[in-house]
Amino acid sequence: MNEKTLQGTIESKVREVLFPFFERYDIDSSNLDAILKWKPIVLILGNYSSGKSTFINELLGKQIQRTGQAPTDDSFTIITAPGPEDKAGEVRGAALVNDDRLPFSSLKSYGEQLLAHFRMKFVESPLLENLVIVDSPGMMDSVTEKGRGYDFLGVVGDLTKLADFIVLMFDPHKAGTIKETYSTIRNTLPGTSGEDRIAFVMSRIDDCDNLADLVRSYGTLCWNLSQMTGRKDIPRIYLTYSPSATGRSEPLEVWMDERKELSEKILAAPELRVSNILQRVDKQTNELKMVMEAMVRFCTGGRRLIKRMALITLVLSLLSVSLMDIILKNLTGFPAETLVSAVISRSVDIRHAPVPAVGLGLIIIIMGFLFSRILFPIYSKKFQKNVDRFVLFDTPYKEHTWERAKESVLNLVKRATWGDIFYSHHKNIEKIEIFISHDLQGYFKNIK
Ligand SMILES: Nc1nc2c(ncn2[C@@H]2O[C@H](COP(=O)(O)OP(=O)(O)OP(=O)(O)O)[C@@H](O)[C@H]2O)c(=O)[nH]1
Ligand SMILES: [Mg+2]
């Protein structure tokens, strides 16, 4: 099965089996929905003037993006080939975020300012038939969120969640010291992407005067990266330059392979797509299962409470049936004969029923009120307060998943009425377990 067919199979199964549960269990599946929708995405991020647009133009063999020495481009540009229904040319931000076929609806929340800096360019190129490249505004020191007019890091964060592969580009003069780049790596990337999905690149190495200069810049970048990622080991850094942009007459043959390798990595992004989708599905399925398990505990506790209440109601009902008319007779002289004495004299008939029946009814109403209006809300609040105690954190992964699952559990419990505790979540857990052990494992086996 090729990647596209496998992606289609996974998408229809996930939509059929999981999405109804995501809705039922209040789990935000918008990101999964977004990545299922479209083509594989490569996101190019980096310092201003580090050569992002030059590299994209070179990859596509066409002058698509404007390039220049000063900060040139302050827009996010989605570049891909037009589909059969698309008109060639550019599409503006407002149309992109409102198009249900595209995965950008979450960007609507960043407001008009972003939309003015967001666009799509259709480019006829066989490379882009099943690939999307996103060029981004160069990261800078001087701009703040106010300067950009929208939450730049938020947008970068949302796009990294959609991307299958991310290229992070530096240049020798600003080897990792730019503030926005620092914040992106420090705060945005770790939560959203595994390191195997990021390529760190030092571009424009021909700008270095000599080898010693290059080694110094490389060392600075390594040091800054370790500060930003918090990791001791140095990731692979591609050292590249653009042969067409360099002023050098003699080619730096030794570095050409690095640029080629980087291009190949980018063009291979479609192969990562299915495994990225499966990782997200796996993550969200585990989250779903955790929510279901927490709801089982909520229902079990609620049913235990209702059982105790039922027992007390039964005892009180027996007492009221046998004592109600005795008490009433002593107080008012009515009824003429109590149920107990009628039983003893074996003369029970319909006349003896009304008073005990009223007593029984009263007890049931009082106990019902007590449970639904007082005891169940107290139980629900207590559950919400101690919700962490009901989960076993045997791995850090589970702890991380719980952070997201918890929110859904709290929403569900807040909304739950006492009738909900009779719902059988077990059946749903069984369905999810079958999906994990059968379908999901099967898909994982299918990928390279
Ligand atoms: N010497 C040299 N110049 C380069 C190289 N790559 C790009 N340039 C030049 O550097 C300048 C900036 O390149 P761009 O591709 O516009 O950089 P960018 O990262 O897209 O910049 P912004 O869009 O402003 O963020 C341009 O004048 C390019 O011609 C390179 O490898 N070596
Ligand atoms: Mg650019």
Side-chain angles (χ1 to χ4, degrees), residues 46-58 65-74 135-139 169 203-207 240-248 259:
N47 296 347
Y48 71 90
S49 295
S50 57
K52 300 181 293 299
S53 305
T54 305
F55 180 59
I56 293 172
N57 290 344
E58 189 184 301
Q65 290 293 82
R66 217 152 49 84
T67 59
Q69 282 298 352
T72 300
D73 190 0
D74 60 356
D135 196 1
S136 61
M139 298 197 200
M169 215 174 250
S203 187
R204 301 186 60 162
I205 55 163
D206 59 303
D207 277 346
T240 75
Y241 77 104
S242 159
S244 60
T246 182
R248 284 176 184 267
R259 191 125 173 132

Side-chain angles (χ1 to χ4, degrees), residues 127-167:
L127 297 182
L128 298 173
E129 290 300 332
N130 188 33
L131 186 71
V132 177
I133 297 179
V134 183
D135 196 1
S136 61
M139 298 197 200
M140 296 193 244
D141 258 334
S142 51
V143 286
T144 59
E145 188 185 317
K146 263 198 195 128
R148 291 222 188 249
Y150 60 88
D151 174 8
F152 176 76
L153 291 181
V155 177
V156 169
D158 277 18
L159 290 174
T160 56
K161 279 188 211 150
L162 293 176
D164 297 279
F165 195 67
I166 299 161
V167 174

Side-chain angles (χ1 to χ4, degrees), residues 193-228:
S193 28
E195 280 202 6
D196 52 334
R197 295 205 291 125
I198 307 176
F200 295 97
V201 177
M202 186 152 81
S203 187
R204 301 186 60 162
I205 55 163
D206 59 303
D207 277 346
C208 296
D209 291 336
N210 49 44
L211 196 59
D213 196 16
L214 173 64
V215 171
R216 260 192 299 276
S217 296
Y218 177 78
T220 310
L221 181 57
C222 289
W223 164 255
N224 283 325
L225 276 182
S226 73
Q227 295 297 301
M228 291 184 249

Side-chain angles (χ1 to χ4, degrees), residues 38-106:
W38 213 31
K39 305 180 200 178
I41 297 177
V42 174
L43 174 62
I44 317 275
L45 297 171
N47 296 347
Y48 71 90
S49 295
S50 57
K52 300 181 293 299
S53 305
T54 305
F55 180 59
I56 293 172
N57 290 344
E58 189 184 301
L59 202 64
L60 300 176
K62 295 181 187 183
Q63 286 300 309
I64 304 301
Q65 290 293 82
R66 217 152 49 84
T67 59
Q69 282 298 352
T72 300
D73 190 0
D74 60 356
S75 293
F76 289 93
T77 310
I78 314 291
I79 307 167
T80 192
E85 295 160 27
D86 301 315
K87 285 192 210 115
E90 277 193 36
V91 185
R92 290 150 73 116
L96 293 178
V97 297
N98 286 305
D99 189 335
D100 282 345
R101 294 166 305 162
L102 303 177
F104 303 117
S105 57
S106 75

Side-chain angles (χ1 to χ4, degrees), residues 263-283:
S263 305
E264 282 166 3
K265 268 248 167 195
I266 289 174
L267 298 178
E271 287 166 21
L272 296 173
R273 164 120 289 211
V274 173
S275 81
N276 283 344
I277 290 179
L278 287 181
Q279 274 170 20
R280 304 285 172 94
V281 171
D282 185 46
K283 209 161 129 186

